[in-house]
Amino acid sequence: MSTLDPITLQSAAAPVADPGAPHPLDNPALSSLTGPHSHFAERRGRILRYPVDVTPWTAHSDVPDAQDWADLAALAGPGGTISMNTLRVEPPKGWEILHRIAGVQLVDVSVVPEPEPEAVRLGPADVPEMLDLVARTRPGPFLPRTVELGTYLGIRRGGALVAMAGERLHPPGWTEISGVCTDESVRGQGLASRLVRAVAYGIRERGETPFLHTSAANTVAIRLYESLGFQLRARPEFLAALASVTLPPADGTRRPAPR
């Protein structure tokens, strides 16, 4: 299979969904914050988000209305930033787009999960080292409380953390593998592959299916994930936007929050 071919298979472990219902991975942040991660949810109207020191994801409908944008702005605060990946329309006037990143969503179809004897469980005490590793390797957003989202595993050499991977979004029946990074000094040793398989092992042990996101431009990572048994499911666009300090208020009408 060539890199980024359309997905044609389903993992044998993948949950069987009602064919008429939205797939949990179509809007993974919303599925997470209204499901297994509901205890993290900060809510205003129909908008949900994770705490800003956990992860930048916000959850909203594919086509937010004027009140949704007002609620997004209120959650972000004047000049605050929101991140989204299911937007089907342009942000309204008053929002500044900071970046757009073409992404891919890959799902487990044939991953061989296995424990990693060298891996250690990482927790709050390890966060300074985790943040330092992320700053050097830039795998994507990782914040002081991201470690609370799920299991993070790391490999140490000479006492120093040199590689890690863990769990982020958690739609029902699925868990995202994220934060995969390896220090330059130990690249080429297969540590990322070993950690991805180890995190996948824990996910599969819970009866869930691993998935992940990465930039469509990161062809090296995509080839690695495909070689491990992941396959393309969707091509989301990751967008970050800055809320204007002069956004007009909406009419104040409150709608039911997503369920």
Side-chain angles (χ1 to χ4, degrees), residues 114-122 152-164 182 186 189-192 194-195 198:
E114 56 186 5
E116 171 48 53
E118 195 178 358
V120 295
R121 177 77 179 260
L122 302 174
Y152 274 81
L153 301 177
I155 291 177
R156 294 181 180 278
R157 295 285 170 82
L161 183 65
V162 295
M164 73 173 192
T182 305
V186 292
Q189 300 180 20
L191 301 189
R194 289 158 53 186
L195 285 171

Side-chain angles (χ1 to χ4, degrees), residues 30-86:
L30 183 61
S31 299
S32 299
L33 287 169
T34 56
H37 279 175
S38 60
H39 57 290
F40 285 108
E42 296 180 350
R43 186 186 306 260
R44 184 178 175 92
R46 298 194 305 177
I47 304 300
L48 296 90
R49 74 167 182 185
Y50 286 90
V52 295
D53 55 353
V54 174
T55 188
W57 290 88
T58 57
H60 49 82
S61 69
D62 292 354
V63 184
D65 63 21
Q67 184 63 50
D68 292 330
W69 284 107
D71 289 335
L72 275 164
L75 278 175
T81 302
I82 55 98
S83 299
M84 51 183 65
N85 82 323
T86 57

Side-chain angles (χ1 to χ4, degrees), residues 1-7 226 230-232:
M1 180 188 69
S2 63
T3 299
L4 300 186
D5 281 344
I7 185 166
E226 287 181 334
F230 289 89
Q231 196 172 59
L232 179 72

Side-chain angles (χ1 to χ4, degrees), residues 50-215:
Y50 286 90
V52 295
D53 55 353
V54 174
T55 188
W57 290 88
T58 57
H60 49 82
S61 69
D62 292 354
V63 184
D65 63 21
Q67 184 63 50
D68 292 330
W69 284 107
D71 289 335
L72 275 164
L75 278 175
T81 302
I82 55 98
S83 299
M84 51 183 65
N85 82 323
T86 57
L87 193 64
R88 301 289 185 264
V89 296
E90 290 296 305
K93 184 178 180 180
W95 287 82
E96 177 188 350
I97 296 176
L98 299 177
H99 66 248
R100 296 178 185 271
I101 299 174
V104 294
Q105 183 186 83
L106 304 165
V107 296
D108 166 16
V109 294
S110 58
V111 174
V112 178
E114 56 186 5
E116 171 48 53
E118 195 178 358
V120 295
R121 177 77 179 260
L122 302 174
D126 301 296
V127 166
E129 281 188 282
M130 298 169 80
L131 291 171
D132 182 64
L133 179 61
V134 166
R136 298 197 308 273
T137 57
R138 303 177 67 84
F142 185 90
L143 301 169
R145 292 178 56 205
T146 302
V147 71
E148 297 176 20
L149 293 175
T151 299
Y152 274 81
L153 301 177
I155 291 177
R156 294 181 180 278
R157 295 285 170 82
L161 183 65
V162 295
M164 73 173 192
E167 301 173 357
R168 190 171 60 175
L169 296 180
H170 195 176
W174 300 81
T175 300
E176 181 190 25
I177 296 179
S178 183
V180 182
C181 54
T182 305
D183 186 78
E184 186 176 1
S185 65
V186 292
R187 287 179 186 165
Q189 300 180 20
L191 301 189
S193 297
R194 289 158 53 186
L195 285 171
V196 168
R197 288 193 180 103
V199 176
Y201 180 84
I203 295 169
R204 288 275 199 88
E205 285 288 290
R206 298 196 299 265
E208 298 175 345
T209 304
F211 75 105
L212 50 84
H213 293 103
T214 191
S215 165

